[in-house]
Amino acid sequence: MRDTSDTRTSSKRAASRFSRLSIVLAVSASALLSVVGPTHAAPAKDPLPADIPDYQAALDAVKSTDVRNAVCRFLRTPLPSGNAGEPVQMLPETAEPCQDLPVFTIKDPVARNEITPEFVAGTARPLPTEAVKLTQLVSSLSTTVNGRNATVMLAPTQGGGWHLAGVRDGDSDAAYAGKATLGTLVFTEPQIRGWYQLKLSTVEPLNEQAREGLGGQASVSLSDYQKLVKARYADKLPGSEYDTTGYSSGYGLRHPADDSSPSPLLLAGGSGTALVLAGGAAVLYRRRIASTR
């Protein structure tokens, strides 16, 4: 097991990551130039928004005592039973939240990229830099703890750095986000929980939701993918009639039934008290405000 407190090791990993990104940018820029031609060769622009700013700050955050204690509080909190209206049992605060829990470490964070509202609206060009943006960093645990894993979510701090945004059950976000390879970019379409891999200008699905999002196709161009998400969401963006007259939490592909359950989410707060919610911002569902009771 790697000692995550070793600052020099983390620095080398960060340096290696940025070195890899420079190769990605060079390869991708070369490919883009071959497509658009010399007329658009300058100025050079980062074709893949995969760079993680202030990465050392993110490493420091996931190694911090505060974040580790937050994860331990989360793991000590029972999962919701699923019965509507039944309150979630909250365990009392302890001086040592990690006491009696199995030993674990928090893995180095990876980028969680999402499609941009401008790309969905059709006002952004079908280019990686305009289609996708870095919204969070996610980390999973090195091992399961009492049969559970967890995802640590970091959000950018105004002025630089990263801070704990929450902890949620499971590790699927980190697992999919970690599939990015040299010359590729992984991103999510959170409205349907779809995960995709972007290879220059080709979008490929990584899970079943993404395959359904592409209509069963093995791959589509980024331009065609934009047409698909524009058709799904362009009239459902924040501030739209859809948003203000009853559909409050995004959009999902139509299914006869959806047996998936939202995972609990711990929201980080100044009080240090763990707040567990059924669902949360990481999972978006289509729901209508009930007109009758």
Side-chain angles (χ1 to χ4, degrees), residues 96-194:
E96 298 291 338
C98 298
Q99 184 176 351
D100 300 326
L101 287 178
V103 176
F104 67 89
T105 57
I106 303 173
K107 296 180 181 179
D108 291 352
V110 292
R112 184 180 186 276
N113 301 296
E114 294 184 18
I115 52 176
T116 67
E118 295 79 13
F119 178 73
V120 171
T123 58
R125 295 172 297 174
L127 297 173
T129 45
E130 299 186 28
V132 177
K133 68 177 179 180
L134 174 65
T135 57
Q136 288 183 329
L137 301 183
V138 288
S139 306
S140 58
L141 308 186
S142 61
T143 185
T144 57
V145 177
N146 296 336
R148 295 171 65 185
N149 209 317
T151 295
V152 176
M153 298 177 290
L154 301 180
T157 301
Q158 187 174 7
W162 298 86
H163 65 272
L164 179 64
V167 182
R168 62 171 300 174
D169 211 58
D171 62 353
S172 60
D173 277 16
Y176 283 120
K179 290 182 179 293
T181 60
L182 185 66
T184 71
L185 179 68
V186 169
F187 67 92
T188 181
E189 183 184 331
Q191 294 83 354
I192 62 170
R193 294 184 295 173

Side-chain angles (χ1 to χ4, degrees), residues 51-80:
D51 194 5
I52 299 176
D54 299 319
Y55 189 71
Q56 186 59 52
L59 289 173
D60 293 341
V62 298
K63 291 186 299 180
S64 69
T65 300
D66 287 346
V67 168
R68 184 177 181 82
N69 285 344
V71 173
C72 290
R73 292 190 192 99
F74 177 82
L75 294 172
R76 291 170 62 89
T77 304
L79 290 169

